C-alpha cells in the first residue's frame, strides 16, 4: 500500500500548467491507498458554492481518485480554509483538522499545514487569528458569491508579490525549530509532515538524546514541469 502527501499546489485558472500537472498526477495515481492534501490546494477558495468550470473540474479530478478506491484526506491551509463539508461531501473526501496524528508505516506521525510553525512571523499569525476566527468565517460565508470571488481575485493578483516577499523574509517566514520541537513533543510523535513554507526538505534531528525525529517539508508545485517529470519528490512525498 502506498500513501502520498502533497501541499501548496495553489491551483487557479491563471496557472493551467499546474492544473495539468495535478490532472496527470491524479490519473497516474489511481492505485494509491491514501492521498493526504495538507493545505493550499487552491490559490484562493472562499466558498463551496463556487459554480465555476474550474472548481467543477478540480472536484471531478478528486472524485475520480475516490471512485477508484483512493482514500483522500484534506487539511485546509491558509489559502483554502473556507473549504468545507459541502465540498467534502461532493467529492467523497475526509476533512482533517490541523495537527492530526496518524500511524504511517508504524511511525506515529503528525500532519500539519505548517503555517503555525512560523512563529517568528508575528504579523502573519495575528492576521491568521483574525481571518480564521469562527466569527470571521461565519461572516465571509454569508457574503454574496460575487463579493467573495472578487476577494479571491485580489488574493491571486497579490500572490506574486507575496512570493517575492517570502524570499526577502525567508528566515522569518520559515518554520522555527523550537516550535517544531514543542508541537512534536506535545503530540508525542517521531515524525512531522507539513507544507506551507515551500522549502522542500527532509530534516533529521533529535527531540532529546536518543530520540531521533524527522521533519518532512512538502514543496510547492510552481515548477509544474518538474512535477510532471517526477525528477524530484519536491512536491510529492510517497510513503
Amino acid at each position: 500500500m502506498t500513501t502520498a502527501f502533497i501541499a501548496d499546489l495553489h491551483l487557479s485558472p491563471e496557472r493551467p500548467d499546474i492544473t495539468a500537472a495535478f490532472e496527470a498526477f491524479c490519473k497516474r495515481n489511481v492505485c494509491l491507498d491514501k492521498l493526504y492534501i495538507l493545505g493550499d490546494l487552491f490559490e484562493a477558495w472562499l466558498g463551496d458554492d463556487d459554480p465555476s468550470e474550474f472548481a467543477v473540474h478540480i472536484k471531478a479530478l478528486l472524485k475520480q481518485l475516490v471512485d477508484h478506491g483512493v482514500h483522500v484526506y484534506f487539511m485546509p491551509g491558509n489559502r483554502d480554509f473556507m473549504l468545507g463539508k459541502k465540498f467534502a461531501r461532493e467529492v467523497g473526501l475526509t476533512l482533517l483538522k490541523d495537527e492530526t496524528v496518524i500511524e504511517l508505516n508504524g511511525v506515529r506521525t503528525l500532519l500539519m499545514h505548517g503555517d503555525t510553525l512560523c512563529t517568528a512571523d508575528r504579523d502573519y499569525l495575528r492576521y491568521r487569528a483574525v481571518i480564521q476566527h469562527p466569527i470571521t468565517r461565519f461572516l465571509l460565508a454569508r457574503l454574496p458569491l460575487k463579493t467573495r470571488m472578487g476577494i479571491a481575485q485580489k488574493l491571486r493578483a497579490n500572490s506574486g508579490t507575496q512570493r517575492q516577499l517570502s524570499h526577502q523574509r525567508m528566515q522569518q517566514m520559515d518554520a522555527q525549530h523550537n516550535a517544531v520541537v514543542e508541537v512534536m513533543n506535545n503530540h508525542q510523535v517521531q515524525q512531522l509532515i507539513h507544507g506551507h513554507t515551500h522549502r522542500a526538505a527532509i530534516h533529521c534531528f533529535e527531540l532529546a538524546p536518543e530520540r531521533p525525529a524527522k521533519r518532512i517539508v512538502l514543496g510547492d508545485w510552481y515548477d509544474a514541469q518538474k512535477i510532471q517529470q517526477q525528477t524530484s519528490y519536491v512536491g510529492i512525498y510517497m510513503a
Side-chain angles (χ1 to χ4, degrees), residues 40-238:
D40 287 3
L41 176 65
F42 296 97
E43 178 71 7
W45 184 267
L46 291 176
D48 290 354
D49 54 344
D50 182 355
S52 68
E53 182 179 346
F54 173 75
V56 170
H57 180 56
I58 301 305
K59 289 178 184 178
L61 292 177
L62 290 168
K63 192 173 188 308
Q64 181 183 43
L65 285 175
V66 173
D67 289 345
H68 276 85
V70 180
H71 298 279
V72 179
Y73 301 87
F74 181 84
M75 177 180 291
N78 55 296
R79 293 299 188 106
D80 45 23
F81 63 89
M82 292 291 289
L83 190 148
K85 294 179 180 179
K86 184 174 184 290
F87 186 105
R89 185 169 58 250
E90 291 175 354
V91 170
L93 58 76
T94 301
L95 292 173
L96 298 178
K97 294 182 178 180
D98 207 348
E99 298 188 22
T100 291
V101 176
I102 65 170
E103 196 80 11
L104 182 62
N105 298 328
V107 179
R108 187 173 165 83
T109 301
L110 175 63
L111 306 181
M112 301 178 66
H113 175 55
D115 54 341
T116 57
L117 298 171
C118 304
T119 52
D121 194 356
R122 296 180 181 179
D123 289 342
Y124 167 74
L125 292 179
R126 282 193 290 267
Y127 163 79
R128 184 187 190 278
V130 173
I131 198 65
Q132 295 197 34
H133 192 281
I135 293 177
T136 306
R137 295 178 62 168
F138 176 85
L139 295 173
L140 277 174
R142 279 149 184 80
L143 288 174
L145 178 61
K146 185 177 180 180
T147 302
R148 283 180 275 131
M149 297 305 290
I151 294 172
Q153 186 175 8
K154 288 181 180 179
L155 287 173
R156 288 195 293 268
N158 290 335
S159 64
T161 302
Q162 290 171 350
R163 286 195 291 272
Q164 183 179 1
L165 285 174
S166 70
H167 288 293
Q168 295 170 354
R169 299 169 53 215
M170 188 172 291
Q171 296 303 317
Q172 182 184 15
M173 298 179 71
D174 197 11
Q176 301 301 304
H177 185 67
N178 60 342
V180 169
V181 171
E182 180 178 1
V183 75
M184 292 184 74
N185 280 330
N186 286 344
H187 289 281
Q188 299 182 331
V189 297
Q190 301 166 256
Q191 188 165 258
L192 167 63
I193 304 177
H194 71 84
H196 182 69
T197 65
H198 299 196
R199 302 182 73 180
I202 297 180
H203 303 275
C204 296
F205 57 98
E206 288 190 343
L207 288 168
E210 307 299 323
R211 285 186 60 201
K214 182 185 292 185
R215 177 168 68 98
I216 299 161
V217 187
L218 302 171
D220 60 61
W221 281 42
Y222 290 137
D223 190 344
Q225 184 177 8
K226 192 172 186 180
I227 295 293
Q228 290 230 49
Q229 293 173 345
Q230 292 188 298
T231 55
S232 167
Y233 85 94
V234 60
I236 307 166
Y237 179 72
M238 295 285 191

